[in-house]
Amino acid sequence: MPYGRREKNRSEELESLDKKINEIINGWNQNPEEIVEFLQFSSKFSYAYSPRNMMLIAQQQRGALLCKSFKAWKELGYSVKKGEHGMEVYVHTPITILKTDDGDIPYSKASKEQQAAYDVGEIEGEKLSYFKKGYTFDITQTNFPPEKYPKLLDRGIPSEFHRSCTNILKEYCEENLGLKVFLQDQEQNIKGVSLYGYHSPSEHEIHIASTLQDTAAFSTLTHEFGHALAHGSVEESLNTNLHQKEFEADVMSIMFCQHYGLEITDERKSHLSGHYKDWKKSDPNNFHPDKSMRKMFDLFREHSTVLDQKIVKAFPELATKLLPQELEVNSEKKKVVNKTAKRKPKKKKTPRL
């Protein structure tokens, strides 16, 4: 297919995906409470996909459990069942554009001489980030043994560990982020909108009210932790819309609560929903919830990984619930592949004349 036509087809495919994303966000605008359901759905994938891809997967198969590409399943030794249709997603396909005397040329379309010249630095180039439409398949669409699903889906930790998680998160804030945390704070200024706690960018402090116990303290601390990560400096805090800040902190809190098995309270859901609506109303030109959640997804993955390791170090019995569980390679399939690889080709018989 000619390069120009291929680019046009890719553009049309991306426009189709973008349209679906806009439809989903429009649905959120009507009912922001659906965002909580989306975050809970995404937790099954440990927020490993981008929010936009998670939106597409959730829209196409709400019951999805674990998704990979056709190639990735094959490499693990499992096959996508006949007749199954993949879910449309964005696939990152970076390309390199060579700056030649004949104009800009994609590396893949350049001559061998031009490619060689670029490789040794004789021709300048620019790496661009492109996306195309691809497909992913859920584990239920493959021949992966269903009896092994529970091991992959057993998430969340018992409530008796939540107080310890609060203390470990406090230590993480202080040791890794230089952020002082005051639990069981007796200060009288924790009231009104800051009834449960608050984050101070200027003092690099988090204060949690003395009235909160265990799970409530952890939930509030994760919210203020979200503020510290996303709006940690005075400049960031002042230059970010108030409702956007509260929405992003709620997103972080919900992700951590879902990850560690805490119930998402109606109050937290209502808080997120209210600030989402107010953000859209007060700052429509800078209202980009998908970009906002992408930021929080990235921050969650970065910091939850270290926190999980700290918690598992303190409580090794939680390893299977918190640390990523690798999919088992299909050993039978592997044996067949190895056996085939070792088979020597038969010698061709010389035909008799």
Side-chain angles (χ1 to χ4, degrees), residues 36 46 70-71 99 122 124 129 158 172 194 231 234 307 314:
V36 178
S46 298
F70 186 94
K71 180 182 178 182
K99 306 292 184 179
E122 293 178 357
E124 292 185 2
S129 184
Y172 178 76
S194 300
H231 332 110
V234 174
L307 279 168

Side-chain angles (χ1 to χ4, degrees), residues 113-315:
E113 291 76 14
Q114 289 171 323
Q115 291 178 350
Y118 169 77
D119 293 339
V120 297
E122 293 178 357
I123 292 180
E124 292 185 2
E126 180 182 8
K127 293 187 177 182
L128 302 177
S129 184
Y130 272 80
F131 289 86
K132 67 177 182 179
K133 182 174 76 173
Y135 297 90
T136 189
F137 296 84
D138 185 49
I139 192 172
T140 58
Q141 296 177 284
T142 73
N143 63 347
F144 188 92
E147 62 271 16
K148 295 183 179 180
Y149 288 2
K151 182 179 178 181
L152 300 170
L153 304 176
D154 186 18
R155 305 291 293 180
I157 59 178
S159 59
E160 58 263 28
F161 291 100
H162 292 163
R163 176 179 294 182
S164 298
C165 289
T166 302
N167 290 327
I168 291 174
L169 179 53
K170 175 183 184 296
E171 292 174 3
Y172 178 76
C173 288
E174 294 178 343
E175 295 175 3
N176 295 65
L177 305 178
L179 188 67
K180 187 66 177 175
V181 176
F182 296 88
L183 298 176
Q184 297 294 300
D185 198 323
Q186 301 290 337
E187 290 187 12
Q188 295 301 311
N189 63 346
I190 299 183
K191 57 187 179 181
V193 294
S194 300
L195 179 64
Y196 298 140
Y198 66 90
H199 164 247
S200 171
S202 59
E203 301 295 331
H204 299 291
E205 295 177 350
I206 289 177
H207 295 254
I208 305 298
S210 60
T211 54
L212 302 183
Q213 302 296 323
D214 296 350
T215 56
F218 182 77
S219 176
T220 302
L221 181 53
T222 57
H223 177 90
E224 303 306 332
F225 181 57
H227 277 307
L229 294 179
H231 332 110
S233 70
V234 174
E235 183 180 3
E236 287 174 319
S237 184
L238 291 176
N239 292 332
T240 306
N241 180 280
L242 168 65
H243 303 295
Q244 178 184 347
K245 289 191 294 185
E246 288 301 315
F247 170 75
E248 290 176 346
D250 277 339
V251 167
M252 179 64 76
S253 179
I254 289 171
M255 288 194 290
F256 266 109
C257 287
Q258 186 70 26
H259 183 64
Y260 290 123
L262 281 74
E263 179 183 0
I264 311 300
T265 64
D266 290 339
E267 187 174 16
R268 177 66 72 203
K269 296 176 184 178
S270 177
H271 191 263
L272 177 143
S273 175
H275 283 289
Y276 181 90
K277 292 177 181 177
D278 290 340
W279 176 22
K280 184 177 187 299
K281 183 177 181 180
S282 64
D283 196 10
N285 293 329
N286 294 305
F287 180 70
H288 305 291
D290 55 331
K291 292 182 180 179
S292 184
M293 280 198 286
R294 175 60 184 265
K295 175 174 69 175
M296 303 315 290
F297 270 41
D298 289 344
L299 288 171
F300 174 83
R301 285 196 296 267
E302 177 185 351
H303 295 278
S304 66
T305 300
V306 182
L307 279 168
D308 285 351
Q309 292 170 346
K310 285 181 174 289
I311 293 174
V312 168
K313 185 176 181 179
F315 306 101

Side-chain angles (χ1 to χ4, degrees), residues 309-327:
Q309 292 170 346
K310 285 181 174 289
I311 293 174
V312 168
K313 185 176 181 179
F315 306 101
E317 62 269 34
L318 298 179
T320 57
K321 293 180 177 292
L322 296 181
L323 300 184
Q325 301 299 305
E326 296 294 331
L327 285 176

